[in-house]
Amino acid sequence: MYICMCNAVTDGDIRRAASEGVHQFAELQARTGCSDCCGCCEQEARATLDKAVQQVLSSLPVVAIA
């Protein structure tokens, strides 16, 4: 699904960026151009990124420190 129509950024693009280490919205904008035109998609883009980052972080193995 397209999140940013101006720059043709999809939810898959945002999830991929999160899996590659993008955790801040400014990083997402720099990498994809998402929400740097009209800004109408910013709320949805932020929510999609936040959800993707949470999924990435929850999939990391837990390391016990003794």
Side-chain angles (χ1 to χ4, degrees):
M1 167 176 72
Y2 282 98
I3 300 295
C4 177
M5 295 298 289
C6 295
N7 292 307
V9 179
T10 65
D11 57 329
D13 296 328
I14 294 173
R15 285 193 305 273
R16 187 175 316 101
S19 72
E20 294 171 353
V22 173
H23 294 162
Q24 301 295 321
F25 188 68
E27 291 175 275
L28 180 68
Q29 287 182 298
R31 184 175 288 201
T32 66
C34 186
S35 189
D36 71 355
C37 248
C38 73
C40 290
C41 64
E42 183 174 348
Q43 185 176 4
E44 186 65 27
R46 284 182 181 275
T48 302
L49 179 62
D50 289 344
K51 183 176 179 181
V53 168
Q54 288 304 314
Q55 289 175 337
V56 167
L57 294 177
S58 69
S59 69
L60 294 176
V62 176
V63 177
I65 299 174

